[in-house]
Structures are given as structure tokens and as C-alpha cells.
Amino acid sequence: MTAVPGMDAGGLSAWLAEAHPDLARGELTATVIAGGRSNLTYAVDGAAVPLIVRRPPLGHVLSSAHDMRREHRVISALAGTAVPVPRAIDVVDDTAQGSVTGTVFFVMERAPGRVLAHRAQNAAYGPEALRGLSLDLARHLADLHAVDPAAAGLGDFGRPDGYLLRQLATWRRQLDASRSRETLNLDRLQEGLAAGIPDSARSGIVHGDYRLDNALVVDDGGAPRVSAILDWEMATLGDPLVDLGILALYWNIADLPGGDGAVPSAVDPDAGYATFDEVVDAYAEHAGIAVPDLRWYRAFAAYKLAVILEGIHYRYQAGATVGEGFERMGALVEPLAVLGRRTLDARTRDTPTAEPRREVH
């Protein structure tokens, strides 16, 4: 039995034996899976099948951004669709008893595959294989957005009307709850986004954090393919283009000053990955739609990630983070805010009446 921050492996063993005796095989061992910057994820061994346990981060959190029940529900609902997800096992409110995590946590089967998060991992594949993986990821996103929420039992999973406006309000509350310093460019980006919210042409299930390193990849005859999409904590019903915006941000995160390494990404066009324009084309073709201007969505993605990292910076200062690398997160907030403002400015310059904005220095 291992001692890990935020979870009692002995308590988990006792819970599994009582709640799911078919999976229990004795004492469990658990290790924190490195790389997550939000919810804590544990790899659990010793059960009949390898397991994953997810719980909210330690310390300062906005509960709506770390909703275990939502993550469990959407994974359960997507089972049997064209969207690859792990098998959900249970969700438990351990807040009162405090025998496992002292929070709501959920358990799922550990799907096969590995996360591609670093460029060194690309050496195992040729350029055509990595290009194929890029387009595979795009098509899975189109499959997600094609799922009928009502048919999947998710008709009440969110409110598509006014989704973008509510998203801005939610992330503004998250920023306000994490303030420990001035974030002038981030505040100006929030204002610019609020002033230019686009009309949503359609609605669907939104992942909320769709990127390569939130997927598991397996080898299929020497070619990598996605075996499971992970990290559904931000999923809801809303404007699907938000997912393309966040995918765009992470696709090019290495170009952000300080982004290469601090926010790992395996995506490397020189190794064979498709360009993001090609990813969008693959998505559009698979979805059978025309994708409109994404600049507002890309600016919103920069804003959202900046707010998330500001929250991590807040928790790191309070000593409430587990793992390494958190000390670098706060330094990325300003570059993200500037990137978002420049992206939004490029959109507003297309409108003759729009006044250009200046970055705050």
C-alpha cells in the first residue's frame, strides 16, 4: 500500500471491496500521474483491472471547474458512441466520511495507451503516422460534436443558449477567486471578449479542454491512433467551436514565450504533425460543415488557460499543489493574455468601426 497526497489507498481498498467486490483483489497501490495541472489523477494497481481515480485538486478550487460527477456522467453517457472513452466504474461523495479522499472522487478503468506530451516521444513514429494521428484527433472531435445530447442522456447536461456569455462570467469568477497580483492584460482581454461575443451557429457536447495530451494513444500496426479521450471535467453543452479554439492554442503552444516545456506538447510539424489548418479541414470534412472564423474562440482559449494557470499560481503560492513544474505556471499568464489580445485585435481590425486596443505594459 502506498501513501500518496490527497488519497488513502487503504481506504480505497476497503471501499472497493465493499462497493465492487468483483474488482477487489486485496490491498491497492496508487501513484500520482504526473502532468495534470488541475484535478489529481492516480493510477491504481492491485484490482482485477488497472484503475484510475480522479479527485479535485488540493486547496483553493472553484467547485464548478472540478466537478467529478459531471466528468463521470459524460464518460458514462458516451460509452457506445463513436467517441472513445474509458469505462466508468463509480462516483463517490467521500466528503463527510473522509476515508478515501475527503472529496467527491470517481473511478474508471485504465484504458490502454500512453499520453504523447513531449516531442521526444515522436521518435517512435514516422511523419505519415503522426500526420494520421493529427487527423484522427480531429475526426474524434467531429464525432463528439455530432453526438445527440438527448439521445445520449445528456439533454440536461447544460444550457446551450447564452453559453459563451456564461463561460466568460464563470472564468471571471475563477480569476477573481484566484487573485494575488495585478493581471491588467488579462482583464483587458476579458473586456474585449465580452464586447465581441459571436453568435453560436450550433450547439453540442463540448469537451472544454480538447488537446493531444488529453488523449491516450496506442500503436495499431505501427501507426498511432487514439484509444481514449480523457479529462472531461469541463464538459457541458454549448458552442462546439470552443473545442477547436482550445485545440488551436495547444497545437501551437510551443510558439508561446515560455510555453515550450512549461506546458508540454508533442505537436511538432517538423516531425510530421499536420498544421492546424489541416486539422480544421479534417474536422470540417468529417463533420460536413464549414468552419467559420475561429479568432474569437482562439482568444477565448488563451484567456481560459491564463485563468487556469493563475489559479495554479495561487495554489502553488499557498503550498497546495502536488508534483513538479507548478512554479513556472504563473509566468505564462501574461504571454497568454497578450496572445489573446493580439488574436482578438486581428479579428476586430476586420470591422472598420472597431478601435484598436493597446497592450498594457
Side-chain angles (χ1 to χ4, degrees):
M1 183 168 59
T2 60
V4 293
M7 188 179 74
D8 185 325
L12 183 68
S13 300
W15 168 81
L16 190 68
E18 180 180 353
H20 298 276
D22 57 314
L23 296 178
R25 294 289 187 272
E27 294 296 330
L28 303 174
T29 60
T31 56
V32 177
I33 295 179
R37 303 300 183 194
S38 185
N39 289 338
L40 286 171
T41 304
Y42 307 87
V44 176
D45 293 296
V49 295
L51 300 175
I52 292 290
V53 173
R54 297 262 289 168
R55 59 147 290 167
L58 304 179
H60 177 83
V61 302
L62 182 69
S63 60
S64 61
H66 308 281
D67 193 333
M68 299 292 95
R69 291 186 181 88
R70 290 183 66 84
E71 192 165 2
H72 176 268
R73 182 183 175 190
V74 70
I75 288 175
S76 300
L78 290 173
T81 71
V83 183
V85 291
R87 181 172 73 92
I89 292 175
D90 209 342
V91 62
V92 182
D93 188 348
D94 189 46
T95 306
Q97 188 170 357
S99 61
V100 181
T101 65
T103 67
V104 177
F105 68 90
F106 87 87
V107 184
M108 60 185 175
E109 188 171 337
R110 197 187 314 164
R114 62 173 180 159
V115 173
L116 295 186
H118 302 281
R119 290 187 171 186
Q121 295 172 288
N122 295 329
Y125 308 107
E128 287 303 314
L130 293 174
R131 175 178 172 80
L133 177 63
S134 308
L135 306 183
D136 190 33
L137 193 68
R139 288 188 286 265
H140 283 310
L141 184 58
D143 286 334
L144 171 64
H145 295 160
V147 172
D148 181 345
L154 296 173
D156 62 346
F157 196 57
R159 293 178 293 146
D161 291 344
Y163 165 74
L164 295 177
L165 182 61
R166 289 195 307 277
Q167 279 284 292
L168 285 175
T170 295
W171 289 102
R172 181 58 178 266
R173 288 196 302 272
Q174 173 77 329
L175 178 59
D176 288 342
S178 306
R179 288 190 184 276
S180 61
R181 57 183 179 173
E182 284 192 338
T183 55
L184 296 179
N185 270 312
L186 197 54
D187 293 335
R188 298 294 183 270
L189 176 56
Q190 159 80 26
E191 294 168 3
L193 289 165
I197 297 177
D199 294 328
S200 298
R202 60 191 182 115
S203 64
I205 302 171
V206 176
H207 181 280
D209 197 21
Y210 196 84
R211 49 195 167 101
L212 177 61
D213 57 319
N214 272 342
L216 289 174
V217 175
V218 295
D219 288 341
D220 186 1
R225 65 172 178 82
V226 174
S227 62
I229 306 297
L230 308 176
D231 291 3
W232 294 85
E233 64 202 71
M234 297 181 189
T236 188
L237 302 186
D239 187 335
L241 295 181
V242 164
D243 280 340
L244 279 174
I246 201 75
L247 182 59
L249 175 67
Y250 281 103
W251 207 256
N252 299 304
I253 198 71
D255 296 333
L256 185 74
D260 189 13
V263 182
S265 174
V267 176
D268 180 5
D270 291 338
Y273 285 88
T275 67
F276 186 70
D277 285 345
E278 291 171 323
V279 168
V280 172
D281 289 343
Y283 170 91
E285 181 179 3
H286 197 68
I289 64 167
V291 175
D293 189 330
L294 292 173
R295 281 175 289 186
W296 187 95
Y297 298 93
R298 295 177 75 153
F300 173 68
Y303 171 75
K304 187 166 75 169
L305 180 56
V307 173
I308 291 170
L309 296 185
E310 189 66 17
I312 291 171
H313 173 71
Y314 184 104
R315 296 198 299 275
Y316 171 74
Q317 289 185 316
T321 53
V322 176
E324 300 178 351
F326 294 99
E327 71 281 358
R328 294 178 289 174
M329 298 297 103
L332 295 180
V333 172
E334 179 68 7
L336 282 165
V338 171
L339 172 65
R341 294 193 68 193
R342 288 175 176 170
T343 303
L344 203 59
D345 283 344
R347 178 175 183 259
T348 56
R349 279 196 297 270
D350 291 340
T351 304
T353 57
E355 295 183 2
R357 300 177 180 87
R358 295 184 180 274
E359 295 161 17
V360 178
H361 298 288

